[in-house]
Amino acid sequence: MERIAHAPESRRGWTREAAAGRADSVKYVLLGKEADQGLLFRLFLYLILIDTAFIYLKPILYMVITMLKDSSNMLDPSVVWVPRSIFIGHLEEAFRLLKFKTGFLYSLTISLSVAVLQIVSCAAAGYAFARLEFPFKKFWFTALVFTFILPPQLTILPSILMFKQIGWANTYLPMIVPALFGHGLKGALFVIIFRQFFQTLPKELEEAARIDGANAFRFFFKVMLPLSKSAMIVVFLFSFVWNWNDFYLPSMYMSGSKEVPLSISLAKLAASLSADEAQGGISIFAEPVKMAASFLIIAPVLVVYAIAQRWFVEGIERTGLVE
Amino acid sequence: MNGLKLHAQTLRKWEGSLFIAPWIFGFFAFVAFPLGFSLYMSFHRVKVTVSGIETVPNGIDYYREILFADGGLLYNDLIPFLREAAVMIPVIIIFSMLIAILLNQRFWGRTFFRVVFFLPVIFSSGQIVLEFMKQGEGSLAFVESLRINAYVAEYVPKAWVEPINHVISSFVLVLWYSGVQILIFLAGRQTISSSVYEAARIDGADPWNTFWKITLPGLIPFIFLNLIFTVVDLFTFPSNPIISKVSTANYGLSSALAWIYFVIVLAFIGLALLMYSRVDKAFGGKRR
């Protein structure tokens, strides 16, 4: 771009300008005319990105490597990153201690049903906030923002009592039923995401549908929902992952239950391992077993992320997430 | 004709009301009612028996106890936490903005880096991060080798030494908390049209100027949004010291504590809003 700008001047032989132009182009190679060009900037960019990526990946690498070390590798000080042999005993141990098979089913039931329910219910609420008319809309929008900033701890105690009264203590229902109504874990955020997304869609779509005589429900399910795939993927992934990892709500609502999701069994496992440590000295196996347990828990989420990440990254950009 | 129009409008209202009705029902059942009940409980001694709940009026005793009598419940944990949050929030915002701007460039391997940088969105919400922190994964060897702690101890007022050092030593944690913030900034950066940048380039603006005159003003609403998101996120994170004190051991006292805490959260958000309106005014002229 800047070559074209400078070319006519140098051709006319205005030497001073040409020299300045040359100095400029050296500068531009190093610094770049725009922030994303230029060698120095590139180097800086990769330096920061690779460092930060390493910081993000290191715990995961550490986790995977620690859990694969057997006792000889653990005691060998020359083994830091690459174990000499691969040992899956810790994984098996963690699998057993976590009661992984059943815990996995519980976690999956909660996260999947909440995620699916939140997609539909939060989309409907978001659509209403973005496009439809209803009485006291401004008030209800304030209420929505209010639910977003409300710490869950403020409502948790009465909710426990309430769910106990209707006999839902120690079941999944306290997590799942609110999702049916567009609430549940971070439900307000998902309503806001859908609202932002629906606001970006052209208004003409609706007018055309209205002239064709479609009512809001038909239109919502036939046109708007199919169009909102990218927002749905973003909400699904957030909702699924956050519910999968969530420890707080299940620990409050299901404290007396035997059917606990994995996040709780992990906490219990960590607690019992450290209790053992306190009693009988430090076991070198506590660490790898904990890491193996952590790995077992994030592995399913990693798989979901690996499948969804392409649409997720695209979706984030396309939803415009925020206004 | 007029009647028909009126009819269409009421119909629209009915449709909208039907759409929002489930959410409003949920709001009453899962937000408004528990909220009111928690306020009620905070003024009462609550006893949960087999047959039901018994409440005895207790006045503002719990509030008085938390605020004035027993410092251990609120202040010992809250003040260090607030100081830490005050250090952490700007670091998270600036870091995530930097990363988002970098990720927005076109460069080789961009997809890979995006996938990696969104990983915290997945992990940062749970037990896993706590486990990592316990393993000492929270500190950075090179930061420690710089001995920043010693400088901080020398130049910073005493009350702030501890929180700043804690943030430095758990710097990875700060990075791990910035997943969603990076996403928000990235989405925000997309809203600034590329034609503005092209125009600036033709006018001969350098990258430095472009950042300060175009990118930053354009991102201000998103900085504000991230500010609120970060405050909400930090203050509702389950490992937060106050939150672990809200338990079923004493319903009344815990409810009072939760309410005091909520007022503090609101104050922080109010501060963010105030700052936003100031900054928006200052930049508002330039943006249009």
Side-chain angles (χ1 to χ4, degrees):
Chain A
M1 197 65 188
E2 99 272 359
R3 279 230 181 101
I4 301 166
H6 287 289
E9 289 156 32
S10 51
R11 219 179 290 140
R12 266 176 247 157
W14 291 349
T15 43
R16 201 151 49 102
E17 303 253 328
R22 225 174 296 130
D24 263 6
S25 56
V26 171
K27 195 178 120 196
Y28 287 147
V29 168
L30 284 177
L31 293 175
K33 180 97 182 171
E34 238 175 299
D36 59 342
Q37 297 156 1
L39 204 61
L40 277 182
F41 182 79
R42 276 290 141 115
L43 281 175
F44 177 69
L45 177 85
Y46 278 109
L47 189 75
I48 291 204
L49 287 177
I50 290 171
D51 281 353
T52 323
F54 177 70
I55 292 171
Y56 281 148
L57 289 175
K58 193 183 149 213
I60 299 164
L61 289 176
Y62 173 80
M63 177 176 75
V64 171
I65 283 156
T66 312
M67 75 178 187
L68 293 176
K69 283 180 182 170
D70 64 4
S71 52
S72 69
N73 274 311
M74 269 187 281
L75 294 171
D76 186 346
S78 68
V79 176
V80 178
W81 282 107
V82 187
R84 288 181 212 284
S85 57
I86 285 175
F87 176 68
I88 57 164
H90 300 311
L91 264 178
E92 285 163 359
E93 176 80 0
F95 198 89
R96 193 177 57 77
L97 286 172
L98 281 177
K99 302 194 187 72
F100 188 78
K101 251 190 216 159
T102 50
F104 178 82
L105 276 181
Y106 301 144
S107 280
L108 193 71
T109 316
I110 296 178
S111 329
L112 205 61
S113 44
V114 171
V116 169
L117 288 173
Q118 276 184 332
I119 284 182
V120 179
S121 60
C122 295
Y127 180 63
F129 276 119
R131 284 299 170 80
L132 298 176
E133 294 289 324
F134 51 89
F136 308 113
K137 195 171 165 184
K138 270 202 180 132
F139 168 79
W140 289 116
F141 187 67
T142 320
L144 175 70
V145 174
F146 179 77
T147 23
F148 173 60
I149 60 172
L150 187 73
Q153 286 70 25
L154 206 54
T155 55
I156 191 93
L157 296 178
S159 303
I160 293 174
L161 293 177
M162 183 173 88
F163 290 129
K164 239 183 216 162
Q165 291 284 310
I166 47 178
W168 288 358
N170 298 328
T171 65
Y172 306 147
L173 292 172
M175 267 85 73
I176 294 174
V177 174
L180 183 65
F181 296 100
H183 294 266
L185 188 68
K186 306 233 181 195
L189 178 66
F190 302 139
V191 175
I192 294 172
I193 289 178
F194 272 115
R195 173 180 173 267
Q196 298 307 125
F197 177 77
F198 286 128
Q199 273 182 342
T200 61
L201 293 179
K203 275 222 162 79
E204 288 76 17
L205 277 173
E206 254 155 332
E207 277 153 25
R210 251 172 228 292
I211 290 165
D212 289 349
N215 64 24
F217 291 89
R218 258 182 81 93
F219 177 71
F220 176 71
F221 284 105
K222 292 265 150 111
V223 184
M224 290 315 246
L225 268 190
L227 274 178
S228 64
K229 258 187 210 129
S230 47
M232 281 159 77
I233 286 194
V234 171
V235 168
F236 175 82
L237 202 69
F238 276 151
S239 172
F240 182 84
V241 167
W242 286 341
N243 276 290
W244 183 279
N245 288 337
D246 185 42
F247 163 78
Y248 187 71
L249 292 181
S251 74
M252 290 308 243
Y253 290 135
M254 302 176 67
S255 54
S257 171
K258 278 184 183 161
E259 305 180 351
V260 288
L262 288 172
S263 56
I264 291 195
S265 4
L266 177 69
K268 277 188 183 159
L269 178 71
S272 79
L273 282 176
S274 49
D276 285 354
E277 250 170 55
Q279 272 197 337
I282 296 154
S283 156
I284 54 163
F285 295 115
E287 174 82 8
V289 169
K290 242 191 256 174
M291 287 294 116
S294 307
F295 176 77
L296 281 175
I297 286 170
I298 58 167
V301 188
L302 268 183
V303 171
V304 172
Y305 179 60
I307 297 168
Q309 56 83 13
R310 231 186 62 218
W311 299 295
F312 177 67
V313 174
E314 257 173 42
I316 287 288
E317 286 178 3
R318 211 171 301 158
T319 34
L321 206 67
V322 273
E323 48 206 23
Chain B
M1 197 66 205
N2 202 9
L4 199 72
K5 202 174 160 193
L6 209 73
H7 179 73
Q9 236 170 18
T10 28
L11 192 73
R12 260 183 77 82
K13 282 222 160 139
W14 270 108
E15 275 179 350
S17 307
L18 274 174
F19 253 86
I20 202 68
W23 187 86
I24 290 180
F25 172 79
F27 181 81
F28 280 120
F30 306 115
V31 182
F33 171 69
L35 205 64
F37 199 69
S38 127
L39 191 65
Y40 172 81
M41 282 203 300
S42 72
F43 295 110
H44 288 78
R45 245 177 248 283
V46 182
K47 242 192 192 165
V48 180
T49 58
V50 189
S51 54
I53 304 158
E54 283 171 27
T55 54
V56 182
N58 195 31
I60 55 163
D61 276 8
Y62 285 134
Y63 288 93
R64 206 185 292 150
E65 191 181 334
I66 294 165
L67 288 174
F68 305 114
D70 181 10
L73 211 51
L74 184 70
Y75 299 113
N76 291 359
D77 288 319
L78 184 72
I79 287 168
F81 173 73
L82 287 182
R83 288 217 176 96
E84 223 175 287
V87 180
M88 228 161 155
I89 290 167
V91 174
I92 289 177
I93 304 260
I94 292 168
F95 170 78
S96 53
M97 183 156 70
L98 181 76
I99 292 294
I101 288 171
L102 291 184
L103 280 183
N104 194 54
Q105 316 285 341
R106 269 169 227 296
F107 57 88
W108 185 82
R110 181 163 90 142
T111 328
F112 166 77
F113 283 113
R114 283 190 178 196
V115 171
V116 171
F117 282 69
F118 296 161
L119 274 178
V121 176
I122 289 182
F123 295 123
S124 61
S125 65
Q127 284 299 104
I128 307 291
V129 163
L130 296 182
E131 286 302 314
F132 285 151
M133 292 310 129
K134 278 188 210 145
Q135 311 304 327
E137 294 294 312
S139 59
L140 281 181
F142 77 86
V143 175
E144 259 157 38
S145 68
L146 289 175
R147 296 195 169 279
I148 296 176
N149 294 4
Y151 292 108
V152 172
E154 205 166 316
Y155 294 108
V156 172
K158 227 181 185 172
W160 289 88
V161 173
E162 178 71 16
I164 290 180
N165 280 339
H166 190 256
V167 170
I168 291 171
S169 68
S170 58
F171 194 72
V172 175
L173 192 69
V174 176
L175 304 196
W176 277 82
Y177 279 146
S178 0
V180 175
Q181 286 84 338
I182 293 177
L183 289 181
I184 291 176
F185 273 130
L186 205 58
R189 177 61 186 71
Q190 312 282 327
T191 62
I192 308 172
S193 80
S194 54
S195 60
V196 182
Y197 285 94
E198 244 158 65
R201 186 173 57 185
I202 291 165
D203 288 347
D206 61 20
W208 187 247
N209 274 326
T210 328
F211 173 77
W212 288 105
K213 299 249 164 77
I214 299 173
T215 312
L216 193 64
L219 283 181
I220 280 176
F222 301 93
I223 295 176
F224 164 69
L225 191 80
N226 265 333
L227 206 61
I228 288 188
F229 185 86
T230 314
V231 169
V232 170
D233 205 35
L234 275 183
F235 281 61
T236 58
F237 201 72
S239 65
N240 167 323
I242 302 297
I243 277 168
S244 51
K245 290 204 169 144
V246 176
S247 70
T248 50
N250 185 342
Y251 283 93
L253 187 70
S254 293
S255 301
L257 183 64
W259 273 98
I260 291 172
Y261 184 67
F262 181 52
V263 170
I264 295 167
V265 176
L266 278 183
F268 255 70
I269 290 172
L271 196 72
L273 275 166
L274 193 76
M275 270 162 58
Y276 173 69
S277 68
R278 285 274 172 92
V279 174
D280 194 50
K281 248 183 222 160
F283 273 92
K286 282 182 196 168
R287 222 183 312 155
R288 269 165 275 276

